Amino acid sequence: GQQLNQSPQSMFIQEGEDVSMNCTSSSIFNTWLWYKQDPGEGPVLLIALYKAGELTSNGRLTAQFGITRKDSFLNISASIPSDVGIYFCAAVSGTYKYIFGTGTRLKVLA
Amino acid sequence: SAVISQKPSRDICQRGTSLTIQCQVDSQVTMMFWYRQQPGQSLTLIATANQGSEATYESGFVIDKFPISRPNLTFSTLTVSNMSPEDSSIYLCSVETDIEQFFGPGTRLTVL
């Protein structure tokens, strides 16, 4: 079946560093979404991407929809302690069919 | 976007009992979804709930174990029936608007 592979699985970084994570698949998708989940909370939508090659920013976050439509990238610039959490990618296949990645656990060291 | 609330936020239940989780949305939505997130794992879709019709269950999930109601366009319930410790998980409802999915805060269930 379809699945999304996220990497890295987890990362420790120093406050102020930039962070990059990606999500890949063997299938083509038309929409990519990035979520952040804080402990004890539901995932919160960060960025939505609708077109291949699209680059979208939300504050210190920038995400790109890969040209092949099989991948997406999320970058966080100048990380701060509140960036800690789990970041999930999701891709939309067909109508109402969302597939979630395995998650990247981010820990920021002050 | 949509504002979603869930009740209860957490519960500890005994094996063999059932728990009904409520999901309330601040606007009318066509599709509501129920997910399970086991500790340290990603989200797994349990079922999709349309108002006025039977829920559609994903492979590995059955109506007898996870009955769902969708009485109107702003509300849904998920029941976890005859619980066992393996059902300990976070249960999340979500809604879709404009190809973006928004999640409730989740219900953390522990089964002893």
Side-chain angles (χ1 to χ4, degrees):
Chain A
Q2 295 171 321
Q3 62 180 15
L4 302 182
N5 299 308
Q6 267 186 262
S7 65
Q9 285 188 330
S10 63
M11 55 197 311
F12 287 82
I13 61 168
Q14 291 289 333
E15 182 177 359
E17 287 185 350
D18 296 344
V19 176
S20 291
M21 60 190 79
N22 66 67
C23 194
T24 61
S25 173
S26 58
S27 302
I28 291 174
F29 295 98
N30 294 322
T31 299
W32 286 87
L33 308 169
W34 284 93
Y35 290 85
K36 182 191 177 205
Q37 186 175 27
D38 292 326
E41 302 289 333
V44 174
L45 181 64
L46 299 173
I47 292 179
L49 302 159
Y50 300 106
K51 288 168 46 176
E54 179 181 357
L55 186 71
T56 297
S57 293
N58 178 7
R60 293 179 295 107
L61 278 63
T62 301
Q64 183 160 28
F65 190 151
I67 287 289
T68 65
R69 293 164 61 197
K70 294 182 179 181
D71 56 13
S72 180
F73 305 87
L74 176 69
N75 296 315
I76 305 172
S77 63
S79 58
I80 59 178
S82 61
D83 288 333
V84 68
I86 305 175
Y87 292 80
F88 289 102
C89 62
V92 185
S93 168
T95 304
Y96 305 123
K97 189 70 175 179
Y98 291 74
I99 300 165
F100 284 83
T102 48
T104 294
R105 284 155 182 76
L106 177 64
K107 297 191 178 181
V108 180
L109 306 174
Chain B
S1 67
V3 177
I4 304 166
S5 61
Q6 282 184 238
K7 288 182 185 178
S9 59
R10 58 178 63 229
D11 207 342
I12 300 173
C13 301
Q14 294 295 325
R15 180 196 299 262
T17 63
S18 298
L19 175 71
T20 295
I21 302 167
Q22 299 179 4
C23 180
Q24 181 75 52
V25 189
D26 69 340
S27 57
Q28 294 184 335
V29 293
T30 302
M31 306 294 291
M32 293 180 78
F33 307 88
W34 286 98
Y35 287 84
R36 182 173 71 185
Q37 186 178 28
Q38 294 180 308
Q41 302 296 315
S42 186
L43 290 80
T44 301
L45 182 63
I46 297 172
T48 302
N50 258 343
Q51 190 268 334
S53 63
E54 293 260 338
T56 303
Y57 289 82
E58 296 296 304
S59 175
F61 298 96
V62 295
I63 188 171
D64 290 346
K65 175 68 175 177
F66 296 102
I68 288 172
S69 78
R70 184 78 202 275
N72 58 52
L73 291 172
T74 63
F75 187 79
S76 179
T77 66
L78 169 77
T79 298
V80 186
S81 304
N82 189 24
M83 289 183 283
S84 66
E86 292 71 34
D87 293 321
S88 297
S89 193
I90 299 172
Y91 291 85
L92 297 147
C93 71
S94 72
V95 304
E96 186 199 62
T97 62
D98 299 327
I99 319 180
E100 296 175 3
Q101 198 166 138
F102 298 92
F103 288 85
T107 295
R108 184 178 294 271
L109 172 62
T110 301
V111 184
L112 303 177

